[in-house]
C-alpha cells in the first residue's frame, strides 16, 4: 500500500473516531444530569475539546475533497453546538457543511437546531424542510414537530400549527415504530394539542399517555428525565395521584435540576390536607344538617339525578349530582380548584373544578355566581374516581369528582359567569 493510500485510510479512521466522539458528546448532553449544572458544562467542555483535537489531527491534505471538507465542517459545528447557548462559530461551520454537501441531512438538522437557539425560528424550520426534501428522516421530522409547537405559542392559528406538529410526529413513528424519541415527541404534541384546543378532547390527553408509555419501552429513553416529568404532569392533571408521584420521583432521580421533588411535595401536601378535612367532617349531626339543607332542583329531563355513592368510574353521561360546599381547599397549584362537598346521602367527596379563575372563590368579589362555602352545586356529567392508594406508608382514600368545564356547574340554581373562565395550560418540556 502506498504512503498516500495509507494516509487516506488513517484519515478515514480518525474521521470515524471523531464521529464516535461527537455521538458520545451528545450522549453526555442527553443523559448526564448532575445536581450541579456547572459539572455538566465542565464535562461537555472537556469532551468537546478532546473531540475537536481528534478532528484537527486529520492532515489538511486529507480533507480537501468537497465531501471530506463537508464532513469536517459538519462535525466541528456539531461539536461546538453541544452547549445550551447559541454559538456563531458553530453556525458558521454548519453553514459551510451544507453548502459543500447539500445532501448531508444531519448537517441540516444540526444547523436548524443551532439557528433555533439564536431565536430565528422560520430559518430553523427552513433548514429542517430542506433536509426532508433530501429524503425522510425520523430525527428531522421529530425536531420539526418540536419546532412547530414552539412556533405555535402566541400564533393566531395555534391549533392548526400544532396539528401539523402531530402530523410530523406520526410520520417519524411510521419510519421506525420502535423509536422511543419519536413516541415521546408525539406524546408532547398530543399534550400540547389538548390544551391549545380548549382542554375538552380527552382523547388527545389519553393519546399522549399512550405515546409516553410506548416511549418507555425503548431502553434508550430510560435516561430521559423529561419523559417521566411530562408523563407525570399528565397523570397529575388526570388526578392519577400515585402514578404522578412515581413519575415525578423517577424524573428527580434522573435530573435533580428539574422541580420534580417540589411537585411531589405539593401533591403530598394537597393529599394530606384533603385527608385531614375529610376526617374532620365525619360528625353525623353536622353532615345531617348540611344534607337536609339541600333544596329541590329542577333538572333537565335528559339528566338522571344520582348521589356520589352510585356513580360509575369515569365520565357519567346524562347524570347530575347535587351537593353542598363545605370547604374551599387552598393549595399551591394554579389548577384545579378543590372543594369538599357533601351530598344528600351525607357522603363527602372531593370536587375538582378546572377552567375557573381562582379569584372566583374570593368572597370579596361581588360576582354572585362564585363558588363559595355553603353554596349548593349541581354537577352535570361528573367524572368520578375512587382514590385508594398508599404513599410512603400513608393511606389515602376518598371519593373524587372532577368537572372540566364551567358549563357543568350550576351554583344555587344559576350558571357560572363566563367571565370566570380561564384556560388551563401545561407546557411539555422541549429543548432545541
Amino acid at each position: 500500500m502506498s504512503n498516500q493510500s495509507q494516509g487516506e485510510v488513517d484519515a478515514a479512521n480518525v474521521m470515524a473516531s471523531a464521529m464516535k466522539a461527537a455521538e458520545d458528546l451528545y450522549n453526555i448532553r442527553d443523559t448526564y444530569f448532575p445536581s450541579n449544572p456547572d459539572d455538566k458544562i465542565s464535562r461537555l467542555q472537556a469532551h468537546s475539546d478532546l473531540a475537536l483535537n481528534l478532528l484537527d489531527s486529520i492532515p489538511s491534505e486529507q480533507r480537501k475533497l468537497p465531501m471530506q471538507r463537508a464532513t469536517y465542517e459538519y462535525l466541528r459545528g456539531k461539536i461546538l453546538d453541544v452547549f445550551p447557548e447559541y454559538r456563531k462559530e458553530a453556525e458558521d461551520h454548519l453553514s459551510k457543511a451544507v453548502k459543500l454537501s447539500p445532501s448531508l441531512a444531519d448537517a441540516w438538522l444540526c444547523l436548524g437546531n443551532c439557528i433555533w437557539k439564536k431565536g430565528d425560528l422560520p430559518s430553523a424550520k427552513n433548514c429542517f424542510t430542506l433536509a426532508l426534501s433530501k429524503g425522510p428522516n425520523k430525527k428531522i421530522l421529530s425536531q420539526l414537530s418540536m419546532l412547530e409547537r414552539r412556533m405555535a405559542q402566541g400564533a393566531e392559528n395555534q391549533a392548526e400549527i400544532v396539528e401539523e406538529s402531530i402530523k410530523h410526529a406520526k410520520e417519524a413513528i411510521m419510519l421506525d415504530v420502535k423509536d422511543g424519541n419519536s413516541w415521546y415527541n408525539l406524546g408532547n404534541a398530543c399534550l400540547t394539542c389538548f390544551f391549545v384546543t380548549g382542554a375538552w378532547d380527552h382523547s388527545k390527553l389519553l393519546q399522549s399517555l399512550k405515546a409516553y408509555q410506548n416511549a418507555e419501552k425503548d431502553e434508550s429513553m430510560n435516561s430521559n428525565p423529561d419523559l417521566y416529568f411530562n408523563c407525570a404532569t399528565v397523570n397529575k392533571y388526570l388526578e392519577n395521584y400515585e402514578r404522578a408521584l412515581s413519575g415525578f420521583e423517577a424524573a428527580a432521580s434522573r435530573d435533580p435540576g428539574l422541580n420534580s421533588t417540589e411537585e411531589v411535595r405539593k401533591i403530598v401536601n394537597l393529599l394530606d390536607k384533603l385527608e385531614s378535612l375529610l376526617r374532620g367532617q365525619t360528625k353525623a349531626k353536622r353532615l345531617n344538617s348540611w344534607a337536609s339543607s339541600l333544596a329541590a332542583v329542577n333538572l333537565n329531563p335528559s339528566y338522571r339525578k344520582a348521589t356520589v355513592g352510585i356513580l360509575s368510574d369515569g365520565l357519567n353521561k346524562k347524570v347530575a349530582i347535587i351537593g353542598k360546599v363545605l370547604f374551599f381547599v387552598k393549595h399551591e397549584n394554579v389548577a384545579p380548584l378543590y372543594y369538599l362537598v357533601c351530598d344528600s346521602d351525607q357522603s363527602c367527596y372531593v370536587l375538582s373544578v378546572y377552567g375557573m379563575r381562582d379569584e372566583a372563590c374570593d368572597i370579596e368579589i361581588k360576582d354572585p355566581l362564585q363558588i363559595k362555602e355553603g353554596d349548593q352545586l349541581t354537577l352535570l356529567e361528573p367524572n368520578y374516581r375512587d382514590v385508594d392508594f398508599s404513599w410512603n406508608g400513608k393511606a389515602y382514600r376518598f371519593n373524587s369528582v372532577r368537572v372540566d368545564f364551567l358549563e357543568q356547574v350550576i351554583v344555587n340554581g344559576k350558571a357560572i359567569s363566563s367571565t370566570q373562565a380561564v384556560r388551563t395550560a401545561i407546557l411539555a418540556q422541549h429543548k432545541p
Side-chain angles (χ1 to χ4, degrees):
M1 183 180 293
S2 68
N3 289 338
Q4 182 179 358
S5 298
Q6 184 61 49
E8 290 175 352
V9 171
D10 291 342
N13 289 337
V14 174
M15 187 70 80
S17 296
M19 286 184 178
K20 177 65 165 55
E23 292 303 315
D24 291 344
L25 183 63
Y26 274 74
N27 186 56
I28 293 172
R29 185 199 68 173
D30 296 336
T31 64
Y32 179 56
F33 299 98
S35 54
N36 184 352
D38 291 340
D39 292 342
K40 180 171 184 173
I41 297 299
S42 297
R43 180 175 288 194
L44 287 174
Q45 187 65 61
H47 281 261
S48 66
D49 288 344
L50 290 173
L52 288 172
N53 288 337
L54 182 62
L55 189 63
D56 288 340
S57 70
I58 301 174
S60 58
E61 62 269 15
Q62 298 299 338
R63 39 185 166 97
K64 286 183 176 179
L65 295 176
M67 193 59 200
Q68 292 173 334
R69 188 67 187 171
T71 304
Y72 171 85
E73 295 289 351
Y74 150 62
L75 285 175
R76 191 167 188 83
K78 181 175 183 175
I79 292 166
L80 290 169
D81 194 50
V82 74
F83 300 95
E85 71 280 359
Y86 164 74
R87 294 194 174 188
K88 186 178 185 304
E89 186 182 359
E91 181 184 352
D92 290 342
H93 284 291
L94 292 167
S95 296
K96 289 177 184 177
V98 297
K99 287 177 182 177
L100 287 164
S101 179
S103 62
L104 202 54
D106 203 36
W108 282 110
L109 173 62
C110 291
L111 180 59
N113 287 335
C114 183
I115 294 174
W116 182 349
K117 292 178 186 177
K118 187 169 65 173
D120 188 352
L121 305 189
S123 293
K125 183 176 182 180
N126 186 50
C127 287
F128 297 150
T129 304
L130 282 170
L132 290 172
S133 70
K134 314 300 179 185
N137 183 298
K138 66 182 180 182
K139 288 184 179 180
I140 297 172
L141 283 166
S142 290
Q143 285 300 102
L144 176 58
S145 171
M146 189 187 304
L147 176 64
E148 285 167 334
R149 293 196 299 280
R150 175 64 184 83
M151 296 179 76
Q153 295 178 22
E156 290 184 3
N157 58 335
Q158 189 177 35
E160 181 181 331
I161 298 174
V162 173
E163 282 296 337
E164 276 294 302
S165 170
I166 291 178
K167 173 178 170 287
H168 288 129
K170 289 180 176 178
E171 288 175 0
I173 291 171
M174 289 177 67
L175 294 175
D176 183 357
V177 74
K178 293 184 179 180
D179 182 60
N181 185 66
S182 298
W183 281 110
Y184 164 66
N185 181 58
L186 177 61
N188 290 346
C190 290
L191 175 59
T192 303
C193 184
F194 173 76
F195 289 103
V196 302
T197 55
W200 64 270
D201 186 357
H202 278 250
S203 66
K204 284 287 189 289
L205 203 59
L206 296 176
Q207 285 172 28
S208 72
L209 273 184
K210 182 65 175 177
Y212 290 144
Q213 289 166 0
N214 283 330
E216 289 175 3
K217 295 176 183 177
D218 184 346
E219 290 185 4
S220 68
M221 297 297 291
N222 288 345
S223 58
N224 183 341
D226 290 339
L227 167 60
Y228 294 93
F229 188 94
N230 292 353
C231 190
T233 300
V234 176
N235 277 314
K236 174 184 168 184
Y237 180 84
L238 290 173
E239 297 171 29
N240 295 328
Y241 298 111
E242 186 175 16
R243 292 179 186 175
L245 288 166
S246 297
F248 283 128
E249 284 210 337
S253 70
R254 288 160 174 80
D255 183 0
L258 291 174
N259 63 335
S260 307
T261 303
E262 179 67 8
E263 290 295 332
V264 170
R265 185 193 65 78
K266 287 180 180 180
I267 294 174
V268 170
N269 283 354
L270 171 64
L271 292 169
D272 286 344
K273 179 174 284 191
L274 293 175
E275 193 267 342
S276 176
L277 286 171
L278 284 164
R279 190 173 61 244
Q281 299 307 310
T282 56
K283 294 181 181 179
K285 285 186 177 180
R286 178 177 173 83
L287 290 179
N288 183 59
S289 173
W290 284 109
S292 61
S293 68
L294 288 169
V297 174
N298 291 322
L299 280 176
N300 184 310
S302 63
Y303 285 92
R304 175 175 59 87
K305 183 179 176 182
T307 54
V308 71
I310 61 173
L311 292 179
S312 301
D313 189 63
L315 184 64
N316 288 259
K317 292 189 174 182
K318 295 302 178 182
V319 170
I321 59 174
I322 300 165
K324 184 76 72 169
V325 178
L326 306 182
F327 288 105
F328 167 58
V329 184
K330 295 182 180 180
H331 63 106
E332 299 174 80
N333 290 314
V334 175
L337 304 181
Y338 285 99
Y339 304 89
L340 193 63
V341 182
C342 169
D343 70 7
S344 60
D345 284 348
Q346 302 182 32
S347 296
C348 291
Y349 59 92
V350 174
L351 168 65
S352 51
V353 180
Y354 288 82
M356 187 167 72
R357 296 183 186 279
D358 196 0
E359 293 86 353
C361 304
D362 188 339
I363 60 175
E364 297 300 321
I365 295 179
K366 303 307 179 183
D367 187 339
L369 299 181
Q370 306 154 21
I371 297 179
K372 57 184 181 298
E373 294 169 11
D375 280 345
Q376 178 169 312
L377 302 181
T378 302
L379 307 174
L380 308 177
E381 300 197 339
N383 200 310
Y384 171 78
R385 170 166 298 175
D386 176 18
V387 176
D388 185 5
F389 74 100
S390 295
W391 185 257
N392 288 342
K394 183 169 182 178
Y396 299 98
R397 181 164 192 181
F398 55 88
N399 294 318
S400 173
V401 171
R402 189 182 87 227
V403 292
D404 295 294
F405 307 101
L406 297 190
E407 292 83 359
Q408 292 175 264
V409 185
I410 298 172
V411 184
N412 301 322
K414 297 180 179 179
I416 294 178
S417 169
S418 60
T419 60
Q420 300 294 3
V422 64
R423 173 176 290 178
T424 306
I426 293 177
L427 294 179
Q429 302 284 327
H430 47 72
K431 305 169 184 175

